[in-house]
Amino acid sequence: MSFVSQFKAQAQVMTGDLRHRKFIRRALRNYETVRDARKASFQDWPGARQRAAETKWQAVNHLDQHLEQFAAKLESRGTKVHWATTAAQAREIILKIVHDKQAKSVIKSKAMTSEEIHLNDALEHAGLNVVESDLGELIVQLRKETPYHIVFPSMHLTRDEISELFQRELGAAATNDPEELTMIARRALRKKYLTADIGITGANFAIAETGMISITENEGNARLTAALPKTMISLLGIEKVLPRMDDLALFLPLLATMGTGQQLTCYNTLYSGPRQPGETDGPEEWHVVLLDNHRTELLADAEQRDALHCIRCGACLNVCPIFRNVGGHTYGTTYSGPIGSVITPHLRGLQEWKHLSSASSLCGACTETCPVKIDLHHHLLQNRRNAAKQKPSFGEQTAFKLFAFAANRPTLWNFGMTMARIFQPLQGAVKGSMLDPAKAWTKTRDLPPIAPESFKAWWRNRK
Amino acid sequence: MSERENILGRIREALKVGALVPGLHGHGQPASASPLSSPRQWLPKVGDSFDEQLALFAKNAAELKADFQLFKSADEARQAINSLRDKEKWQRVGGHSGDLTDAICPTLNLPLLRTDRPYDVHELEACDAGISECDALIAQTGTVLVTNRSAGGRALSVLPPHHVVLARRDQLVADLPAAFALLQQRYATNYPSMISFITGPSRTGDIERIMVLGAHGPKKLTIICF
């Protein structure tokens, strides 16, 4: 099945699933309240957004300089920096490190880039034991699913479903108390931290000035992943750079506010090297893998370059009426919601993924909420335009040619309208079925009746 | 050619065409081109006086479910940590050497696992609490700023189930920009390999978005300030 028919079929199922829609709405209601309170606590939220947008513009529009500075600083403190153009190269680099270390087990903290390159599959295929340590990621890993949401991977599951999963996969006792369920995961993972050979993390920001990565989290799992295993690997997209360390004074609260409605998340940690002389713990070796994977192609599209400003807060997903109704898995992509619909065609092919840009109400809620001012809903329109320009649709072109032909010939037009008035009542009999020429529209909607009299006729006959 | 050169080459090629700065409608230069401007003017307000900042830190800590205890003297702090020991029946604690820890920890009269010299993580995992110093307390966010140099390594503040922070009153700073300025001033020539902003005890909301404390890190965070 093609990606588009898969999307359509799944979207139809999900929009009809009222339980799911209600559950997601409820889960996001509290987020909306706390997020708004946090935004209000800023002295000047619009100013903060503008500053963040400009800082990311600086970072992305001088990306070459910042990356060189970032890599040089890291290398000067003993970190090994790797560059990967493709997902396959990134997997090879990581597999080679794992083989060199003769590693058997890997503990991972949340990294969407690792989902993007399907790292877990590659590691498991190579015979390694891989465990996700973020609670939400662990839950979807045990279910053999992809994350539902880039910030809340397991937000689609009820506590009962999670309890059942833990009983089946972890041999845990039955409980539907969120606290007890969390403690089951805590106990299960403790041993893994202490015995894992390799720790793999992502990064939220890469600081060019000082050669540091910054990891934002709540659970402490990334802190442990970066403290206990002997070898640490961090995988990040090249667009993660920020010019200066103190830019974080704005970006950390911005990300927390929009991501989860917190003032700051529990742990925001900067790493600038492996264990240094005189330090008593931390990894002996640290590898940083910089991933392109079509990001430079998005960079080359100056019109949509700002999509690389994204800090992956997930705020646009949370406000999107499409996401809230079709759910995260329907997209079939690593990055879902508005930002996913904008960037996936660039990362994975415009023609195969253009349908995501049409699954939009163009309400602009995403653009309005984005903390770094990405012009999301206009980029959806640009994707549609680019896709049509690249590969025009025969059906659409023919339809418009026929319309133009008829509309330019009043006699033909009037004849057509008269016929339509006569035959429209018959449409009711076949509405939505295979016989209905307007099936795609009328399956879920009514065709309004054609006016009994045209405007021209009314004007002529008026008293 | 290496992948590094390939990637940098593609970036330079792509950047030959300029992109508009968001929100400026095609006019003007981004303000952040000036490294002198501070984000302080946009961030949440912090009072000017020390007392206001202290009150704000206490309020934030309470919201975060961290236990902030303020004392007038080291003696009172010793009593407080002893009562924690008795209440939670500590058998063994992790810690490191420093002005504050050396002044307070001996009163516990418990075996102390030092993490500022080579140690076994399994032993640290078995400790009931980790006692550390910090670099600063941040009033704006209720955050404890630690580095692996100031707080006994990377694991002490996150592996044991209870993290106890010892801090002096004068370690309180107003906001995040001040905290970064302090880091620059203190470490710019040689940064510790880990710097962590700890804001409340570990938590998760991954099950039905309901908050649970103690996901993987400490379930409790106690800040003893004197």
Side-chain angles (χ1 to χ4, degrees):
Chain A
M1 216 177 1
S2 72
F3 296 122
V4 58
S5 38
Q6 218 171 324
F7 178 85
K8 280 185 181 169
Q10 181 74 4
Q12 199 170 4
V13 174
M14 294 310 286
T15 43
D17 185 345
L18 296 183
R19 189 204 66 90
H20 168 264
R21 281 166 57 177
K22 200 172 154 195
F23 186 70
I24 296 299
R25 258 207 321 275
R26 204 191 61 193
L28 288 173
R29 195 175 303 145
N30 181 48
Y31 159 82
E32 286 165 1
T33 316
V34 289
R35 176 203 61 195
D36 289 348
R38 285 299 168 211
K39 276 165 71 173
S41 77
F42 276 66
Q43 292 178 74
D44 178 2
W45 177 255
R49 269 180 95 206
Q50 182 61 30
R51 166 63 175 252
E54 292 177 16
T55 306
K56 268 309 241 184
W57 182 90
Q58 281 283 340
V60 167
N61 283 278
H62 301 91
L63 189 58
D64 51 336
Q65 296 160 28
H66 288 130
L67 280 177
E68 282 186 305
Q69 191 186 10
F70 173 67
K73 283 275 177 188
L74 277 177
E75 283 163 351
S76 74
R77 311 237 303 163
T79 304
K80 185 96 180 64
V81 180
H82 307 263
W83 303 69
T85 291
T86 63
Q89 284 175 359
R91 287 193 300 264
E92 274 168 38
I93 290 165
I94 293 170
L95 282 174
K96 185 166 183 310
I97 299 166
V98 168
H99 284 309
D100 287 350
K101 297 282 141 204
Q102 297 178 328
K104 293 190 174 54
S105 58
V106 174
I107 188 116
K108 279 181 71 203
S109 68
K110 188 168 162 41
M112 288 310 290
T113 35
S114 81
E115 301 284 341
E116 188 183 323
I117 67 165
H118 303 293
L119 182 61
N120 288 6
D121 288 346
L123 289 170
E124 278 165 11
H125 196 74
L128 279 113
N129 182 301
V130 186
V131 182
E132 293 284 351
S133 57
D134 173 85
L135 178 58
E137 290 282 343
L138 173 72
I139 291 167
V140 295
Q141 188 196 22
L142 291 174
R143 282 173 63 93
K144 300 181 175 57
E145 267 180 0
T146 54
Y148 179 92
H149 183 292
I150 58 175
V151 177
F152 317 129
S154 62
M155 73 177 291
H156 59 305
L157 299 171
T158 64
R159 59 182 85 183
D160 292 325
E161 286 167 308
I162 294 165
S163 169
E164 205 177 288
L165 177 76
F166 281 2
Q167 289 169 52
R168 195 174 63 231
E169 300 289 334
L170 302 176
T175 170
N176 68 355
D177 177 29
E179 179 157 8
E180 281 180 39
L181 288 167
T182 304
M183 292 311 133
I184 290 167
R186 179 185 170 104
R187 282 192 297 271
L189 284 183
R190 278 275 146 159
K191 291 170 241 152
K192 306 276 182 187
Y193 288 116
L194 296 171
T195 54
D197 303 306
I198 309 250
I200 298 182
T201 77
N204 295 87
F205 303 104
I207 310 299
E209 172 195 40
T210 51
M212 295 173 176
I213 65 162
S214 171
I215 301 181
T216 289
E217 53 153 346
N218 267 315
E219 299 184 2
N221 60 314
R223 284 278 315 266
L224 289 167
T225 304
L228 303 178
K230 275 194 171 161
T231 305
M232 172 174 166
I233 303 172
S234 301
L235 174 68
L236 50 143
I238 51 174
E239 84 285 11
K240 290 283 173 199
V241 291
L242 282 178
R244 292 183 304 272
M245 184 172 76
D246 57 9
D247 289 331
L248 291 173
L250 176 61
F251 276 85
L252 297 181
L254 203 71
L255 176 58
T257 297
M258 296 313 280
T260 55
Q262 290 170 281
Q263 190 162 21
L264 271 190
T265 62
C266 269
Y267 300 99
N268 285 282
T269 311
L270 290 159
Y271 295 100
S272 56
R275 186 187 299 194
Q276 299 294 301
E279 295 180 354
T280 54
D281 57 7
E284 287 161 12
E285 257 182 53
W286 185 29
H287 298 264
V288 169
V289 183
L290 292 169
L291 178 70
D292 177 350
N293 202 21
H294 304 285
R295 284 166 174 77
T296 45
E297 284 161 51
L298 180 51
L299 190 73
D301 183 347
E303 199 175 40
Q304 295 192 33
R305 187 175 293 161
D306 65 355
L308 290 171
H309 297 186
C310 177
I311 57 172
R312 305 277 187 263
C313 66
C316 61
L317 282 65
N318 300 340
V319 299
C320 178
I322 309 299
F323 180 90
R324 295 168 73 128
N325 283 308
V326 306
H329 286 143
T330 302
Y331 289 80
T333 56
T334 307
Y335 306 103
S336 58
I339 186 65
S341 300
V342 167
I343 65 175
T344 307
H346 294 267
L347 304 182
R348 294 172 68 178
L350 178 59
Q351 293 305 327
E352 291 79 10
W353 296 97
K354 64 181 178 187
H355 58 279
L356 296 181
S357 299
S358 299
S360 159
S361 64
L362 296 179
C363 66
C366 47
T367 307
E368 199 161 300
T369 203
C370 177
V372 290
K373 289 194 161 183
I374 302 170
D375 199 359
L376 288 156
H377 71 293
H378 286 111
H379 294 339
L380 294 175
L381 283 173
Q382 288 152 7
N383 278 344
R384 293 184 196 182
R385 179 202 63 200
N386 295 347
K389 209 188 268 176
Q390 193 186 67
K391 194 177 164 202
S393 148
F394 178 74
E396 259 175 41
Q397 278 193 320
T398 315
F400 276 106
K401 273 184 196 148
L402 285 174
F403 173 79
F405 185 83
N408 279 315
R409 287 164 181 80
T411 324
L412 182 61
W413 180 263
N414 286 335
F415 175 72
M417 291 312 284
T418 312
M419 289 294 117
R421 268 180 215 111
I422 294 169
F423 287 107
Q424 196 187 16
L426 301 178
Q427 188 256 349
V430 295
K431 179 179 177 301
S433 76
M434 295 297 287
L435 292 170
D436 187 348
K439 169 171 72 103
W441 175 265
T442 53
K443 206 158 59 173
T444 53
R445 304 171 186 87
D446 289 325
L447 201 61
I450 298 168
E453 183 180 42
S454 74
F455 176 76
K456 222 165 122 184
W458 172 81
W459 184 261
R460 204 184 317 116
N461 299 335
R462 81 193 194 285
K463 291 274 155 42
Chain B
M1 227 176 6
S2 69
E3 280 313 315
R4 173 195 152 100
E5 291 314 310
N6 285 337
I7 291 173
L8 289 172
R10 281 198 302 278
I11 292 172
R12 288 188 190 113
E13 190 59 36
L15 291 180
K16 280 182 184 162
V17 182
L20 294 179
V21 182
L24 296 183
H25 310 289
H27 304 290
Q29 274 299 302
S32 58
S34 150
L36 295 173
S37 64
S38 155
R40 185 164 286 146
Q41 55 188 303
W42 301 298
L43 292 174
K45 228 178 165 54
V46 179
D48 292 326
S49 76
F50 179 79
D51 287 341
E52 279 173 293
Q53 293 174 7
L54 198 63
L56 181 59
F57 185 89
K59 176 175 159 278
N60 279 323
E63 274 176 26
L64 292 161
K65 312 229 186 301
D67 184 10
F68 176 57
Q69 306 184 3
L70 187 63
F71 300 108
K72 290 199 180 68
S73 69
D75 271 339
E76 286 181 17
R78 276 186 212 107
Q79 279 170 23
I81 204 164
N82 278 338
S83 70
L84 276 178
R85 172 200 62 193
D86 297 342
K87 203 172 103 194
E88 298 188 357
K89 302 190 174 61
W90 293 348
Q91 302 291 319
R92 184 157 201 211
V93 294
H96 64 96
S97 177
D99 290 345
L100 300 184
T101 43
D102 291 348
I104 303 291
C105 288
T107 179
L108 284 170
N109 216 0
L110 286 176
L112 178 81
L113 176 74
R114 288 267 301 267
T115 59
D116 52 351
R117 21 184 212 221
Y119 72 98
D120 177 2
V121 287
H122 293 89
E123 285 184 44
L124 181 61
E125 212 274 326
C127 286
D128 299 306
I131 303 170
S132 82
E133 297 185 359
C134 66
D135 281 89
L137 304 176
I138 306 169
Q140 188 172 49
T141 52
T143 301
V144 179
L145 175 61
V146 301
T147 63
N148 55 342
R149 215 173 286 166
S150 67
R154 292 195 189 197
L156 178 64
S157 54
V158 76
L159 193 59
H162 189 165
H163 180 203
V164 181
V165 180
L166 303 178
R168 290 188 320 271
R169 279 169 190 252
D170 61 13
Q171 287 185 294
L172 183 75
V173 300
D175 54 11
L176 286 165
F180 279 102
L182 178 138
L183 285 171
Q184 262 152 355
Q185 183 207 342
R186 190 168 293 171
Y187 298 119
T189 53
N190 180 21
Y191 281 104
S193 69
M194 186 208 78
I195 299 168
S196 194
F197 293 75
I198 301 176
T199 310
S202 155
R203 67 197 59 207
T204 185
D206 277 344
I207 299 172
E208 293 193 12
R209 311 288 318 120
I210 295 165
M211 203 209 16
V212 175
L213 295 183
H216 293 289
K219 291 174 198 170
K220 288 185 187 165
L221 174 66
T222 304
I223 302 151
I224 295 179
C225 182
F226 56 98

